[in-house]
Amino acid sequence: MRLEISIAFLFFFCASAWRLTDSFVGNNFYNGFDFNTYADPTHGFVKFVDEATARADGLIWTKDDYVYMGSDHKNHAPNGRNSIRVTTKKSWSRGLFVLILDHMAGGQCGTWPSWWTVGADWPNEGEIDIIEGVNRNTANQMTLHSGNGCEMPWSGRNETGRVVAINCDAHVNNNAGCGVLSTQPNSFGEGFSSAGGGAYAMEYTEKGVKTWFFTKSRMPRDIASNEPNPEWWPIPDAHFPFDGECSSRHFGNQKMVFDLTFCGDWAGSAYRSSGCPGECNEYVANNPNAFEGYYFGIRSLKVYQ
């Protein structure tokens, strides 16, 4: 009797509170997204194309469970390079978002890839950057952007990453946000891809935001079984608590965004300090072959609530 009670208690304790609600996989992946064709809000040297153009030019395709999302790497582009920015049709008030990748965009001069979420009224309903980096970065940066009145503590956040800024207010510090830089090797770009890929997860609750990076060999088994339980995962790479210094009211319903841009506000301003040659727009325009590896190779994207 005691053994049965112990087993039942252990099962209850281990069971995940998260349940799969949305799955973006293979041929159905792009059905859940809108293709954004407006001018890049971050002033990138880019032309975001519609779905028909993206398919015709090979910037997106799917095969079985695999999803490719990239940019033009064949043509000279004197007026900006054709690329992709997509936003989910659906938004979520809270959730656990898990992305499994074989290949990550980034690591090339002039590039600025990202996977992030955003509220309808930016910045007042917040932005959560899960994957982001520029140029030759080798470490991923995770960042929140908000309206005024949201700051994070410098320490005591139970995270493995390194805090680089604490003021999340998009109106100050050139919209740098409150960022945490991953200390894990192979967390971004070419290093991530050469190591065989892995997974990123972001947990968004009324208590705050946590993000994790897992190499393929260290990915929790409960992700593969669609029963993720972050309570049993390692310490997150980044932890942004919602408390007295930044309440949850700064973050509303979130849509997911994939963005493959060039130069612009961050990659452009950091271009020379990254050790890149010449001028950013000129390099991107005249070196199409440099961007053959600038793509996301996605195995699955799932949302749990």
Side-chain angles (χ1 to χ4, degrees), residues 105-157:
Q108 304 88 0
C109 285
T111 58
W112 182 0
S114 55
W115 173 50
W116 47 294
T117 72
V118 66
D121 179 20
W122 186 91
N124 299 311
E125 292 187 286
E127 172 183 335
I128 304 168
D129 299 331
I130 310 161
I131 294 176
E132 189 174 28
V134 298
N135 299 317
R136 291 173 169 168
N137 285 171
T138 58
N140 183 54
Q141 182 165 316
M142 301 142 286
T143 307
L144 301 191
H145 302 265
S146 71
N148 57 38
C150 177
E151 288 194 8
M152 293 290 145
W154 274 109
S155 60
R157 288 158 55 176

Side-chain angles (χ1 to χ4, degrees), residues 218-228 233:
R218 294 181 177 271
M219 196 183 308
R221 292 181 180 179
D222 57 18
I223 289 179
S225 66
N226 290 326
E227 297 178 321
W233 293 356

Side-chain angles (χ1 to χ4, degrees), residues 26-30 55 60-68:
N27 294 331
N28 295 320
F29 183 92
Y30 289 109
R55 289 190 183 279
I60 63 168
W61 50 265
T62 60
K63 183 178 181 181
D64 299 325
D65 288 342
Y66 186 80
V67 176
Y68 175 93

